[in-house]
Amino acid sequence: MTAPDPHPLDRLREEAQTTTPQAVRLSLETLSAGHFALLAPQGWAAGAEEILRGAIGMERKAQMEMRIGLGADIDDLPIRKTRALAEMTLDDLLAEYREGRAMTLRVLDRLLEVAGRRDVRAWTLGEEVPPAVYILSLRDRLERLGRLVGEQRVSP
């Protein structure tokens, strides 16, 4: 009988022992640049708008996970005013995807900054985790979301 696969958090905790949040944060710049390269206004499949709405919604959720953990340490970084995703056209969604990612990274930078001063946690995969684990989970989610968006491209 084979051993069950480890829980995703166990894998992330193990990876956090061999990497730094700063190294993962740097990899998110490269990841984001690759995602942004896909955002040309033409060449999208019919389901692209729905996939973009889901991806943007998941990034907004990630921002709230971090904001909750930061508490008052995030008060000076306002929440972006946005329209409902259902009201957005494809062009609007492409712009929102880019702007939302920029805000996700800003909130993440604050989380990492505050973690240097006090114990801070963020919620992911059903648990509160330290930033070193959270950033790995976020990286994995952003990679999956980027793949889903990329699969909606019908032409380069």
Side-chain angles (χ1 to χ4, degrees), residues 10-24 132-133 135-136 139:
D10 292 336
R11 182 186 56 77
L12 295 173
R13 286 183 180 113
E14 186 175 313
E15 186 178 352
Q17 300 300 312
T18 61
T19 189
T20 65
Q22 295 75 18
V24 179
V133 174
I135 193 171
L136 291 166
R139 177 206 59 201

Side-chain angles (χ1 to χ4, degrees), residues 24-140:
V24 179
R25 174 61 180 88
L26 186 59
S27 75
L28 290 177
E29 289 297 325
T30 304
L31 179 72
S32 296
H35 292 171
F36 294 163
L38 299 173
L39 300 181
Q42 293 83 28
W44 292 95
E49 289 181 8
E50 199 56 36
I51 295 297
L52 282 161
R53 286 184 183 102
I56 293 164
M58 290 305 295
E59 284 210 39
R60 288 178 178 179
K61 177 183 176 288
Q63 291 172 31
M64 293 312 296
E65 291 167 351
M66 291 183 281
R67 284 177 178 277
I68 289 167
L70 284 164
D73 284 313
I74 196 74
D75 287 349
D76 64 325
L77 188 61
I79 295 176
R80 285 181 53 246
K81 301 284 186 202
T82 60
R83 294 186 0 240
L85 294 171
E87 297 172 2
M88 292 187 186
T89 66
L90 178 61
D91 288 339
D92 296 334
L93 290 164
L94 295 172
E96 179 62 23
Y97 185 84
R98 186 182 299 274
E99 292 170 21
R101 175 63 56 85
M103 182 54 83
T104 298
L105 296 177
R106 283 182 69 193
V107 177
L108 176 62
D109 288 342
R110 180 64 58 89
L111 181 75
L112 296 175
E113 172 195 328
V114 171
R117 297 191 313 260
R118 70 169 176 87
D119 183 39
V120 63
R121 316 278 265 168
W123 190 264
T124 192
L125 297 171
E127 290 187 32
E128 286 183 330
V129 298
V133 174
Y134 183 83
I135 193 171
L136 291 166
S137 176
L138 180 64
R139 177 206 59 201
D140 291 354

